[in-house]
């Protein structure tokens, strides 16, 4: 059985070897792993698995999340909604725009208390089932995050016009 200290040491060792190996070309990686993992086939297998996952990911962060066939929708004219109310909030102005939606600065507008928030609205034409599923997933991820430097999810829903 691996103790807590042993487990932390293994994780440190994995990170250290991975961070060096990732810089090498495939042939040099193999030589490096043969050298540093000699006598520990389990460690070598773990590192190879991490490297394979890294290689499979390629440059995913640079690729659009929305298929190119939907990209044309991102240029659709956006309905003017500043000044409109959504629930208890009045939209003040646009503060951000992305492929899937537009983010507005909004102010609590029901005399209960004062609060500024950001409200993200899916663009018209982007409300396909796939995009709405991604939007719900994004909302769930944000709801689960708790950090002083990350915005908090206060609420989510659908506007009256869908």
């Amino acid at each position: 059985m691996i103790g807590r200290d042993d487990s932390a040491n293994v994780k440190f060792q994995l990170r250290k070897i991975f961070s060096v190996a990732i810089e090498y070309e495939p042939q040099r990686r193999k030589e490096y792993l043969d050298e540093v993992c000699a006598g520990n086939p389990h460690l070598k297998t773990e590192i190879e698995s991490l490297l394979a996952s890294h290689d499979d990911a390629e440059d995913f962060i640079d690729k659009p999340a929305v298929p190119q066939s939907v990209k044309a929708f991102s240029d659709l004219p956006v309905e003017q909604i500043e000044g409109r109310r959504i629930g208890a909030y009045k939209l003040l102005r646009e503060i951000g725009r992305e492929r899937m939606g537009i983010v507005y600065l909004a102010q609590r507008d029901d005399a209960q208390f004062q609060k500024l928030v950001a409200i993200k609205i899916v663009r018209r034409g982007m409300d396909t089932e796939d995009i709405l599923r991604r939007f719900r997933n994004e909302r769930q991820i944000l709801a689960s995050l708790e950090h002083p430097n990350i915005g908090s999810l206060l609420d989510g829903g659908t506007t009256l016009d869908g």
Side-chain angles (χ1 to χ4, degrees):
M1 183 170 149
I2 296 177
R4 179 168 282 191
D5 290 339
D6 292 337
S7 177
N9 186 40
V10 168
K11 288 179 183 177
F12 174 77
Q13 196 174 12
L14 282 168
R15 274 190 231 122
K16 184 178 174 184
I17 294 170
F18 175 82
S19 66
V20 172
I22 200 67
E23 299 298 323
Y24 293 131
E25 294 298 320
Q27 181 56 38
R28 179 62 183 114
R29 275 185 195 171
K30 182 182 179 332
E31 294 167 3
Y32 172 71
L33 292 179
D34 288 343
E35 180 183 321
V36 298
C37 298
N40 191 341
H42 178 70
L43 178 63
K44 184 176 179 184
T45 301
E46 287 295 313
I47 297 292
E48 288 172 337
S49 174
L50 290 170
L51 290 167
S53 293
H54 177 272
D55 291 344
D56 287 345
E58 295 176 341
D59 58 350
F60 83 96
I61 201 75
D62 297 325
K63 294 178 184 176
V66 178
Q68 290 298 321
S69 60
V70 181
K71 184 178 184 296
F73 287 120
S74 65
D75 297 326
L76 290 175
V78 178
E79 176 185 354
Q80 180 69 15
I81 63 173
E82 293 172 6
R84 266 186 53 192
R85 280 181 57 110
I86 296 181
Y89 295 92
K90 178 180 177 183
L91 301 179
L92 301 176
R93 64 181 167 82
E94 182 180 319
I95 57 174
R97 187 177 286 241
E98 60 173 21
R99 194 169 296 205
M100 191 179 356
I102 300 174
V103 180
Y104 289 90
L105 175 66
Q107 174 180 311
R108 181 89 186 199
D109 193 39
D110 64 357
Q112 296 297 312
F113 57 90
Q114 293 185 346
K115 181 148 187 94
L116 291 175
V117 299
I119 295 179
K120 183 175 181 179
I121 300 174
V122 175
R123 292 175 189 245
R124 294 206 180 282
M126 292 295 289
D127 50 354
T128 65
E129 189 53 43
D130 185 51
I131 295 297
L132 293 175
R133 186 182 78 253
R134 289 175 54 89
F135 192 73
R136 286 188 299 270
N137 288 343
E138 177 182 307
R139 188 170 64 187
Q140 182 57 52
I141 290 167
L142 185 56
S144 68
L145 299 176
E146 292 183 26
H147 189 278
N149 295 330
I150 299 175
S152 300
L153 179 70
L154 299 176
D155 201 354
T158 304
T159 58
L160 293 176
D161 62 353

